[in-house]
Amino acid sequence: MSDSIPMPRVRVATTSLAGCFGCHMSFLDMDERLLDLAKVVEFDRSPLTDIKHCGPCDIGLIEGGVCNAENVHVLREFRRNCKTLVAVGACAINGGLPAQRNHLDLGDCLQQVYVKRDGVEDGGVPDDPELPLLLDRVHPIHEVVRVDYFIPGCPPSGDAIWTFLTDLIGGRTPRLPHPLLHFD
C-alpha cells in the first residue's frame, strides 16, 4: 500500500452566455497543455465534455454578458455550483460587444430588424414562448452574481488562461504579467 494519499482532482466547469465563444476558443488554444491540465483537473461542463448542466465544482470559468432571462438562469445556477467563479473576457467583465446595443431602444431595434427592414414583408417580432425573454440591456456578470476573479481580454489568450488557472490550482494568487493582457 502506498504511503501517499492521492490528491483529489480539481473540478473545473465552463459556460458561455452572450458572446462569440472566443474565450472558449482561447481555452482550447492551450493546445497540448490541456493534457497536462487534465492530469490535475476533472472537467465538468466544458467544450471538452457533453455535460449540459454544471454540477458542484471548484472553479467555474464563464464568458459572455447577460442579455436574456435564460442567461440569468444559467449564470445563477453556475454561481451556485462553483466555489470560485471567474469572469473571462470583455463580454463577461463589461458586457463587451453585445452591450453596444445598450444605448438603443430594444423595441425600436427589434422593429427595425424584423418589421421595417428593406425586403421584409409581413414581418413581425418573434414572440415564440420558447425564445428567452430579452433584457432591456446587456449586463456584465458581476451585476447579477458575485465574481471572485476576472481575466481581461477580447479574448484573453490561451497563455493568459493557462497562467491564471495554474496559479489558482496551485494555491497561488493569480497574477497575469502585462504582456499577457491584450485585446485583439
Side-chain angles (χ1 to χ4, degrees):
M1 184 168 203
S2 172
D3 291 336
S4 65
I5 298 171
M7 294 293 293
R9 292 179 10 171
V10 175
R11 288 183 57 92
V12 174
T14 71
T15 196
S16 182
L17 303 175
C20 70
F21 211 71
C23 296
H24 271 86
M25 295 307 294
S26 287
F27 178 83
L28 295 173
D29 280 345
M30 288 191 284
D31 299 324
E32 66 276 355
R33 293 175 293 184
L34 286 169
L35 299 174
D36 295 331
L37 197 58
K39 293 174 185 173
V40 295
V41 163
E42 179 182 348
F43 289 105
D44 192 279
R45 180 179 179 165
S46 80
L48 303 174
T49 67
D50 193 29
I51 299 170
K52 303 299 182 207
H53 294 281
C54 177
C57 67
D58 300 299
I59 301 169
L61 305 173
I62 189 163
E63 73 167 318
V66 181
C67 77
N68 62 45
E70 180 183 32
N71 291 162
V72 172
H73 172 76
V74 168
L75 176 57
R76 287 182 176 156
E77 176 187 16
F78 201 69
R79 172 73 264 188
R80 272 192 304 276
N81 284 301
C82 298
K83 291 178 186 173
T84 301
L85 184 65
V86 182
V88 181
C91 294
I93 294 170
N94 62 26
L97 290 175
Q100 288 186 352
R101 77 164 167 91
N102 286 354
H103 72 283
L104 303 172
D105 178 88
L106 184 58
D108 290 344
C109 186
L110 292 171
Q111 284 290 315
Q112 187 62 43
V113 169
Y114 291 105
V115 179
K116 299 177 184 175
R117 187 179 67 201
D118 288 341
V120 173
E121 293 182 26
D122 300 322
V125 176
D127 64 353
D128 188 309
E130 292 294 316
L131 294 174
L133 178 66
L134 292 175
L135 303 177
D136 287 335
R137 59 186 296 272
V138 177
H139 299 269
I141 68 170
H142 72 271
E143 289 182 2
V144 180
V145 299
R146 180 180 55 81
V147 175
D148 301 296
Y149 294 99
F150 300 85
I151 304 176
C154 187
S157 67
D159 291 337
I161 296 170
W162 168 259
T163 299
F164 185 93
L165 276 177
T166 54
D167 280 352
L168 193 58
I169 292 166
R172 300 177 298 276
T173 300
R175 302 244 187 262
L176 293 177
H178 190 268
L180 290 181
L181 301 175
H182 64 85
F183 294 81
D184 288 340

